[in-house]
Structures are given as structure tokens and as C-alpha cells.
Amino acid sequence: MKISYNWLKQFINLDWDAEKTGELLTDLGLEIEGIESFTSVPGGLQGVVVGKVLECEQHPNADRLKITSVDIGNGDPVQIVCGAPNVAKGQKVPVATIGTTLHDAEGKPWKIKKGKIRGEVSEGMICAEDELGLGKSHDGIMVLDGKLKPGTLASEIFDIENDQIFEIGLTPNRADAMSHWGVARDLRAGLLQEEVSLELITPSTSSFQVENRTLKIDVNVADSELAPRYCGLTIAGLEVKDSPAWLQNRLKAIGLAPINNIVDATNYVLHELGQPLHAFDAAKINGSEVNVKTLPAGTKFTTLDGIERELHEEDLMICDSGKPMCIAGVFGGINSGVSETTTSIFLESAYFNPVSIRKTAKRHGLNTDASFRFERGIDPNITEYALMRAAILITEIAGGEITSDITDIYPKKIEDHQVVLNFENAAKLIGEEIPRETIKSILTSLEIKVNNVTESGIGVTIPAYRNDVTREVDVIEEILRVYGYNKINFTEKLNASIATTLPIEDYQIQNKISGQLVAQGFHEMLCNSLTSPKYNDLIDLVKDEHNVEMLNPLSQDLSVLRQSMLFGGLEALIYNNNRKLHNIKLFEFGKTYHNYPDGRSEKKHLAIIVAGDKLEETWTSLPEKSSFFYLKGIVTSILKRLGISEYTEKTAKSDIFLEGLSFTKKKKALVEFGVVSKKITKAFDIESETLYADFNWDAVLEEIPSHNFVVQPIPKFPQVKRDFALLLDDSITFDSLREAAIQTERHLLKEVTLFDVYTGKKLPKGKKSYALSFTLQDEKKTLTDKQIDKIMNKLQQRFEKDFGASLR
């Protein structure tokens, strides 16, 4: 947001330089991102002087050019070739000397150089007013007052305004500071803390007067929730023309292009007071009535930019008796605005519902100065005041008379709100105790009314325009920013409590697992929590679960919160595939969002996506596709790293997987993983086999052991390995065999692994062969052959009894 320092000084007569004022504004929370210089005439007429035309003769080689000799005050006349029809001997004229930088109509700079024009030397330029930026005429050169002395600087003759422009990085909550008046209010409060007491000067409306009541336009507001306050009046007999120079300079200083005196006046009041206004050509209002209402969905409306838009049924419109004229608070219509032929206007000043304006602006992709303010919340109590201020300004610069009383529809006044501030709470949050009289002084300077003061606290009334100050902590923040963050002292000692135990934090666990996955060749991804509702058609949701929908989505593809981590991962996968990256290992920590009949919930997850080869091909290794068992190894290594070793393996029931497993503990799923269904990958145009693991991170965190790790010495006695080749039914799983083995020998059996699986024609139908390896160890002595054989016999008998297995 741009703020003119000269304009600001109209509200508060401060003699500080711009840098010092900018520092105070930054301390107040209105961060100054930069200060720029502005000159009402580009270049400030530097290098332009008064010259006297001593001689003026016809150019020998051009009928339309003259050769002049001009005295520019340095004693040596210069020769200048001039093409103006009105140049004559004896005139005093503005001369741009060699080296002067002028600006064209588009603001692009160009430099005056010595040169030849049709063979004759020219050492400067006699200027027209448009060439100097002093007007629009190019009919001929400017002829100056004959009393001026040659060599006089042009910058001393013409009224050039120099200004400093603050670029303020305004935070969204500070709607009260979206004007010069609002910034001046804050500045005055800050100056009081610097012991500088200055009056806040507000524009007077005492001259407002209704000359006659010959042009009445009726106003009807259909929904006071959408338009809580609506004011309007008419002005007739005005003349639309260019604005006076002072008004144009004010607008140019903050980056606005002047249009005409009526539109410029409404823009001026907008940036002066923060109240958007709109002027309608009264002759174009059918039925002499203004209706504030919504229209049926699909209604066509063409805005000022010439674009035909299709209205939503919730868009608030300003209409006459037969047609829409303006999208309320957002953008005017092409057929109702002020033009050069306008002689009477209906001037609107209103307070519209911020949520309604924001939704409408978003729907139509519009961001105007008016919508920027309305959607953040303006002051509902200056609606009439700003209307009067604008009406006075318009009659001053455009003529005409105010021809109707003010219509002010305000059925339910927006009240100020009450807050109680506890002094003890303020001291705790601020870090030190601010004197109570200082607190009262700060609140009063911010136009926050002090109702009562007790030993423990203070009751205050917050003005309606401060919609960001609704709680005690907000009031404390206001006190602190005006008092000055830099005034808060730091203590010389640091007080801290030493915890007897250090709990395991979620972020610590995430960092640990992230490090492990990165070491295994994975990359972390961060997907958008907003996604498309069409993805839910690819999976079966929990019964009665619904989408968590956005109230005002940016697009249909980002209209709901995700219920699965899978689809963001698949989007990342196909994005990489389309860029010739096919060996993908990705992981993400994130949340899913669910809407159940009994309420909404968020769940933490760790998602893993794997596709392509396990390793990049090198001269020492051949490519090997990532498999289900590779992913299972990644999953089990994560659980092992977290100290979770006991869990039950089950077949995953989710329709996400073509085949998959689920690790559960205490009836809670820790993780589900497997090969993603072809139906889902096809929807994303993914041709390769895709592996996916979804950790229920909340459940995982609950199962991480909280006890300390016990460090044990490496056993002195050797391990012994024995193998079995078992003929089994196809339905028997390795996990069931492993569990049976552990139950059979709990003390000496340390590990059971599967190192070969065989299925083929040489085996009976419905059978398979598993090759199992058993690791045995006694940590106190060396095992004997007799002990080992006894254990292996027990295992063989258990397998034969429970699974019908036989040794091959």
C-alpha cells in the first residue's frame, strides 16, 4: 500500500523527515518496505531554463523548421532548430539544455543531445508543455512571461510538488490502516509515546448543504445482512472534465492514473478515508430507483473492463428498476458509469458484508481497491461522513448542486464491542509491567474508550472499525506495539526448569525416520492438502464419511481436503514420470481430513511411494525392479528403528491395493502397504507397478517404547544355523511358521528367515516349498549337537502337526 507523506501531513502537521517517520511507523506495526521520491513533473525540470529568442530565421533545407539563436543566460547564445509554428523573435521560452533528461507520454526517459537537423547544428530544445510534462498541448512551444530573465531555472517558475511515498507492507488484519487517515491515527498514537503531541486534523463537512431536492432516487435494500448500511445522494449540473493539478498529483503519487474529476474524487476519498464510493450516471438509472439485491444464477453482466460475466446467485448487485448496474463493492458496469456527457450522478457510499464481497471477488477473479477494503472490513460509522466529504469535493471541482437529501439505510447499527483487560495478564504477556497511566493513555490515543478502571483491570470499548481487536490479547498487542517493542527490557538471567524425563516429541521421531529414508535413497515430498473430490470415486470411503469441503475453493480440483495421502503421491509420481524420471522413491509426513456424522477429525500419516528400479543402473549393478518385498523391508526397518517389534500380519482389506499386508497391534493398524490397484494407477496414466505404504502415524507414536534402551555385551558363544526345506500347502504363510517356531523354542531360537520359495510342476498341486533358516544361540555356553538336534526335532514335529508339513 502506498502512502503519500505530503498527503499524510494534511492530517498531522509533522516536521520529521520521511526516514524518521518511517521508522516510527514500522515500530507501530505498519512496516515500511521502502521510501520512494515522487515529483509531479517527471525529472523535476532539471536542466530546463528560461531562454530568450534573439533571432528566428527560416531553415534553408526545411519549410517547417526554423533556426533560432537563444540566450540561455550564460553569455553565449546557442543555436536551436525548432519546428514549432509559433516560435518568434523576442519570446521567452523554456529551453531543455544539452544533457537534460525529458520523459515521453509513457514516462520513458530520453536525453537531449547536440546534433544536426537537416544539416544545421542544434544545441538544445525549445519545449512544448507536453514535452515538459506540464500539460497535454502540443500545438506549439510554451511562451513564458516576458519579464523572466534568461537562465532562470524552470523549476523555480512552475509549481512542482515533491513528495516521499511510503510503501507499507500492510498485514491483512489491519483494515483500519488502509487509508491516509488510518495511518495518521496510528502515527499520532506513536508520536504521543515520543512526547510529541499533535492534533489529528480531519476533513470538515460543515459546508455540506442540499441546495434543492429536484433529483430524488429511491433506494431499496433487499437483504440487510449483505448490505448492513447503504447511503446515497444525487448531484446535478456538474461538468465532467480533467481534475485540477493538485488532485491529479495526489493520485499519481500513489500510483493511480487520473481519469476525470468525478472518478478521481471518489478515488481520492477512498485513499483519504478508506471508504469506497461509486458514482452512477443518474440519467442511466431506469425508474429513478436503486435496488440492492441478488440476481438469479446465470444472469449476464458486462463490467467496466468489457468482459461479460455470469453472475452467481449470491453475488450482491446494484440494480435499477430493470437491469444490473454494478457488482456491489467490487466492480462497476460498462453501461452505468460516468462519461464525458454526464451532468448528474447518484453517489453511493456503503458498508457491505466482508464475506460476501470476498466470495464475489474470488468467483470473478477481481481484485479492486474497493473489494480489497470491503472484504477486510471498513468502518461502518463513516459511511455518511465519507459521502458528504465526497459530495463537497465533487461540487468544488465539477460544479453542480446537491439535489437530494442523504438516503441512509442502516436498520441494525453495528455496535462497538466491550473487552476487559486484566493488568496481571498484560504484564505476563508483555514481560514487564507498563504503568497503568501509560496503558490508559495509549488506549485513548487509539480511540479505544476507557469505561472503568479497577485495581485488577480495565474495561474498554473497541470502536467498530477495529474488527481485529476482539479479545484481551488483542488489546494487549495494541498496547505493546504503540508502547514500543524496543522498550521492553531483557532480563539478565535465564530461568528454566529441568525436566526429570525427556519425552519423545513427534518432530524428533519424524526427523529420525526422515534421515533413515533419505539414507535409503528416498526424497521427501510435500503435497497440497487440498485435492479433487473425483479422487474419492476411486476408493471406498468409510460408511457415512463425507468430504471436508472448502467454502470458497480456488478451483474444483482443489475444493476438498484430502482423505488419503495416496493421490498426492501419485500426482508427484506422474509429474516425475513425464519428465523422464522413472525410478521414484518418495515419502511424506502429513495429515488426512475426515468428516464423520459425529464430527470431523484429522489423522497423521507417513506415506511412501515407490516405483521403478531399486537402484540406478551402474557398471557394477544390473537394474532390479522394486518389489513388494523391497517395500516390506523398508516398512519393517522403520518399525524396527522405532523399537516396535511385536505386531500381527494380516492381509490388507483396502481396495487401494491389488495385493497388500497390514501390520496391526492392539486391534489398531500400524501400517498398510502393497501394490497399488491398476484401476487407480490407470486413472493417473501410470503404467509402471506402483508400491505404496501408509503408516497410521498416531498409532505408531503410541506404540513406541518409552523405556530406556538396555545395552548388552556381544555374546561370547557362537551362533548355530540349521535349515529346513518344507513342503507346504499354498495357503500357509511364512509368518505363521515363524510364530510357531518362536512359540516352540523361546529361549535359544534367535531368528527365523525365509531364503527360498519354490513352486513348480515337480511339486504336487496346491503345494509349495519353503526353505527356512533357523539361528540358535545360548548366551551362557556353547550348544552341543545333541541340544541342537533336539530343538530341530521339536520344530519339525510342530510343523508336521500344525501345518501338515513334510521335509523335502
Side-chain angles (χ1 to χ4, degrees):
M1 182 181 75
K2 294 183 183 294
I3 293 293
S4 157
Y5 197 21
N6 288 350
W7 198 344
L8 196 62
K9 288 178 180 178
Q10 292 180 201
F11 292 96
I12 189 162
N13 190 13
L14 182 63
D15 58 0
W16 287 8
D17 60 43
E19 287 74 16
K20 187 175 181 180
T21 302
E23 290 175 4
L24 179 56
L25 288 172
T26 297
D27 289 343
L28 289 166
L30 303 178
E31 183 179 359
I32 303 301
E33 296 179 341
I35 302 176
E36 298 177 353
S37 295
F38 168 80
T39 304
S40 59
V41 176
L45 299 182
Q46 296 297 315
V48 181
V49 299
V50 174
K52 181 179 180 179
V53 181
L54 301 177
E55 300 290 341
C56 182
E57 299 177 356
Q58 184 65 43
H59 194 295
N61 302 318
D63 294 338
R64 295 186 178 183
L65 297 178
K66 304 285 180 64
I67 299 175
T68 64
S69 177
V70 182
D71 176 11
I72 57 174
N74 61 3
D76 296 319
V78 296
Q79 178 172 296
I80 298 176
V81 177
C82 179
N86 64 330
V87 64
K89 180 180 178 179
Q91 291 175 333
K92 299 290 178 65
V93 293
V95 177
T97 57
I98 293 174
T100 299
T101 299
L102 299 179
H103 295 75
D104 63 18
E106 297 178 355
K108 296 179 180 178
W110 58 284
K111 185 173 287 188
I112 301 294
K113 299 178 181 179
K114 181 179 179 178
K116 286 187 177 182
I117 301 177
R118 293 290 182 92
E120 297 293 333
V121 173
S122 184
E123 299 179 286
M125 176 178 172
I126 303 174
C127 302
E129 66 176 40
D130 66 329
E131 293 165 334
L132 295 176
L134 295 172
K136 296 180 179 179
S137 174
H138 195 70
D139 294 337
I141 60 168
M142 292 184 72
V143 179
L144 305 177
D145 189 342
K147 297 178 181 179
L148 294 173
K149 292 183 179 181
T152 303
L153 298 178
S155 58
E156 297 176 358
I157 302 171
F158 299 101
D159 185 15
I160 300 175
E161 181 173 357
N162 296 305
D163 200 355
Q164 298 290 310
I165 309 302
F166 298 115
E167 182 67 46
I168 297 181
L170 195 67
T171 53
N173 63 308
R174 291 303 308 277
D176 62 295
M178 292 189 296
S179 65
H180 286 75
W181 187 20
V183 173
R185 262 190 318 232
D186 254 24
L187 181 57
R188 178 176 178 272
L191 288 170
L192 288 173
Q193 295 307 305
E194 300 293 326
E195 299 183 352
V196 178
S197 179
L198 294 174
E199 180 186 359
L200 185 63
I201 305 166
T202 55
S204 172
T205 57
S206 59
S207 62
F208 179 84
Q209 181 180 345
V210 179
E211 277 82 6
N212 60 67
R213 295 171 175 80
T214 56
L215 182 57
K216 186 176 188 303
I217 292 181
D218 295 324
V219 177
N220 304 297
V221 177
D223 189 342
S224 60
E225 288 293 323
L226 298 180
R229 189 174 191 184
Y230 191 91
C231 297
L233 56 75
T234 61
I235 303 174
L238 48 78
E239 180 186 0
V240 177
K241 56 185 179 180
D242 288 341
S243 297
W246 70 266
L247 177 52
Q248 291 194 37
N249 289 340
R250 285 285 179 264
L251 298 180
K252 288 177 182 177
I254 58 173
L256 296 182
I259 299 173
N260 60 55
N261 51 0
I262 308 302
V263 176
D264 292 350
T266 60
N267 283 334
Y268 181 86
V269 174
L270 164 67
H271 290 276
E272 179 185 51
L273 303 178
Q275 171 66 56
L277 302 110
H278 191 77
F280 300 88
D281 188 330
K284 299 174 182 177
I285 301 177
N286 295 334
S288 294
E289 65 178 57
V290 168
N291 298 302
V292 185
K293 61 182 182 178
T294 56
L295 295 175
T299 301
K300 305 294 184 181
F301 178 68
T302 304
T303 45
L304 275 171
D305 54 6
I307 297 175
E308 185 179 73
R309 303 176 188 274
E310 191 171 293
L311 300 179
H312 188 274
E313 66 267 18
E314 294 181 359
D315 291 339
L316 187 64
M317 302 296 295
I318 311 299
C319 310
D320 59 18
S321 61
K323 67 179 184 301
M325 300 187 296
C326 174
I327 302 177
V330 180
F331 210 22
I334 198 168
N335 297 317
S336 62
V338 173
S339 65
E340 293 179 355
T341 60
T342 299
T343 58
S344 59
I345 63 169
F346 174 76
L347 187 61
E348 165 198 277
S349 178
Y351 176 87
F352 296 118
N353 184 293
V355 175
S356 172
I357 298 300
R358 179 176 60 82
K359 288 182 177 181
T360 295
K362 281 287 186 184
R363 272 193 291 265
H364 296 289
L366 294 169
N367 182 23
T368 61
D369 283 339
S371 67
F372 179 81
R373 286 159 176 79
F374 276 128
E375 65 189 32
R376 285 161 175 79
I378 62 173
D379 185 355
N381 295 321
I382 68 164
T383 310
E384 184 182 28
Y385 168 69
L387 180 64
M388 294 166 66
R389 165 65 173 153
I392 293 170
L393 182 58
I394 288 172
T395 55
E396 287 177 354
I397 63 177
E401 297 178 334
I402 298 172
T403 51
S404 74
D405 292 316
I406 293 176
T407 299
D408 186 2
I409 300 176
Y410 196 14
K412 185 179 180 182
K413 184 179 179 181
I414 298 174
E415 301 291 344
D416 298 340
H417 41 279
Q418 313 294 319
V419 175
V420 175
L421 168 66
N422 183 283
F423 291 131
E424 185 177 344
N425 291 341
K428 285 181 179 178
L429 284 176
I430 293 172
E432 67 179 55
E433 190 170 330
I434 296 176
R436 296 182 182 184
E437 286 303 316
T438 302
I439 289 177
K440 289 167 59 180
S441 172
I442 290 172
L443 293 174
T444 302
S445 69
L446 291 171
E447 299 184 358
I448 296 175
K449 182 181 177 182
V450 176
N451 299 325
N452 55 76
V453 181
T454 65
E455 283 298 316
S456 60
I458 184 171
V460 297
T461 299
I462 312 297
Y465 68 81
R466 290 308 305 272
N467 51 40
D468 61 318
V469 182
T470 58
R471 305 165 298 167
E472 181 186 37
V473 290
D474 299 327
V475 177
I476 294 171
E477 182 183 4
E478 289 297 294
I479 294 169
L480 181 55
R481 72 177 182 86
V482 175
Y483 179 74
Y485 291 96
N486 296 332
K487 294 180 181 178
I488 303 301
N489 297 316
F490 289 95
T491 58
E492 295 181 355
K493 61 178 181 178
L494 178 65
N495 298 323
S497 299
I498 300 176
T500 55
T501 59
L502 295 175
I504 299 174
E505 297 289 349
D506 184 10
Y507 76 91
Q508 293 174 320
I509 302 300
Q510 289 189 27
N511 287 342
K512 182 186 295 185
I513 299 305
S514 295
Q516 176 172 315
L517 288 169
V518 168
Q520 293 172 324
F522 283 79
H523 292 87
E524 186 169 9
M525 62 179 173
L526 184 62
C527 300
N528 198 335
S529 294
L530 296 174
T531 189
S532 171
K534 66 183 181 182
Y535 289 157
N536 292 332
D537 297 335
L538 301 174
I539 58 175
D540 292 331
L541 297 175
V542 176
K543 185 180 179 181
D544 296 328
E545 182 180 357
H546 301 286
N547 291 325
V548 180
E549 298 179 349
M550 301 298 294
L551 294 176
N552 189 27
L554 294 174
S555 69
Q556 189 60 27
D557 287 338
L558 297 173
S559 61
V560 300
L561 289 171
R562 64 184 176 189
Q563 291 164 282
S564 171
M565 302 281 286
L566 172 63
F567 303 115
L570 294 179
E571 287 177 343
L573 175 58
I574 191 62
Y575 181 89
N576 282 276
N577 284 173
N578 291 338
R579 286 154 181 80
K580 308 301 181 183
L581 298 173
H582 298 285
N583 300 329
I584 303 299
K585 296 179 184 178
L586 301 172
F587 73 95
E588 178 187 13
F589 287 97
K591 292 182 178 181
T592 58
Y593 306 86
H594 308 270
N595 188 6
Y596 302 117
D598 57 348
R600 297 176 179 176
S601 69
E602 298 180 12
K603 298 177 181 179
K604 295 179 182 178
H605 294 262
L606 164 60
I608 295 175
I609 291 279
V610 177
D613 296 339
K614 288 198 289 186
L615 298 172
E616 295 294 337
E617 184 178 0
T618 67
W619 67 278
T620 59
S621 62
L622 296 175
E624 182 183 353
K625 292 292 183 184
S626 300
S627 65
F628 172 84
F629 293 101
Y630 170 71
L631 179 62
K632 183 178 180 182
I634 297 295
V635 169
T636 54
S637 69
I638 291 173
L639 295 177
K640 186 175 181 180
R641 182 74 174 86
L642 297 176
I644 302 173
S645 57
E646 296 183 2
Y647 44 81
T648 303
E649 290 188 17
K650 296 180 179 179
T651 301
K653 296 180 180 179
S654 173
D655 60 339
I656 286 176
F657 300 112
L658 183 64
E659 56 179 341
L661 286 178
S662 172
F663 290 172
T664 63
K665 188 171 184 179
K666 299 177 182 176
K667 297 184 179 181
K668 287 185 179 180
L670 299 178
V671 58
E672 289 187 334
F673 61 94
V675 180
V676 179
S677 164
K678 294 292 184 182
K679 170 188 172 184
I680 296 175
T681 55
K682 184 179 179 180
F684 286 82
D685 296 326
I686 296 172
E687 297 177 356
S688 61
E689 183 178 77
T690 303
L691 304 165
Y692 173 64
D694 181 15
F695 285 82
N696 180 349
W697 196 247
D698 292 312
V700 169
L701 292 176
E702 290 178 7
E703 298 304 324
I704 296 176
S706 58
H707 57 75
N708 295 329
F709 290 99
V710 178
V711 179
Q712 295 179 331
I714 297 174
K716 298 178 181 179
F717 304 98
Q719 294 179 340
V720 177
K721 289 193 175 183
R722 292 288 188 271
D723 300 337
F724 273 164
L726 299 175
L727 186 65
L728 303 158
D729 292 337
D730 279 338
S731 60
I732 296 173
T733 64
F734 166 69
D735 186 58
S736 59
L737 295 171
R738 186 176 64 85
E739 288 296 324
I742 292 173
Q743 291 174 7
T744 303
E745 179 51 63
R746 294 182 179 275
H747 301 294
L748 301 180
L749 182 60
K750 302 300 181 183
E751 187 177 16
V752 182
T753 59
L754 175 67
F755 65 89
D756 186 47
V757 177
Y758 174 73
T759 57
K761 296 180 180 179
K762 295 181 180 180
L763 297 180
K765 187 177 180 180
K767 296 289 185 178
K768 62 183 176 182
S769 175
Y770 272 3
L772 304 180
S773 177
F774 303 89
T775 302
L776 304 172
Q777 185 179 42
D778 189 332
E779 296 177 1
K780 296 180 180 180
K781 61 183 179 180
T782 301
L783 290 173
T784 64
D785 289 340
K786 185 176 180 181
Q787 288 176 298
I788 296 169
D789 292 340
K790 183 178 179 182
I791 293 171
M792 296 308 292
N793 287 333
K794 287 168 60 179
L795 291 174
Q796 179 181 347
Q797 293 171 9
R798 180 69 181 267
F799 292 153
E800 290 172 348
K801 178 182 178 183
D802 291 358
F803 305 105
S806 60
L807 293 180
R808 290 188 65 201

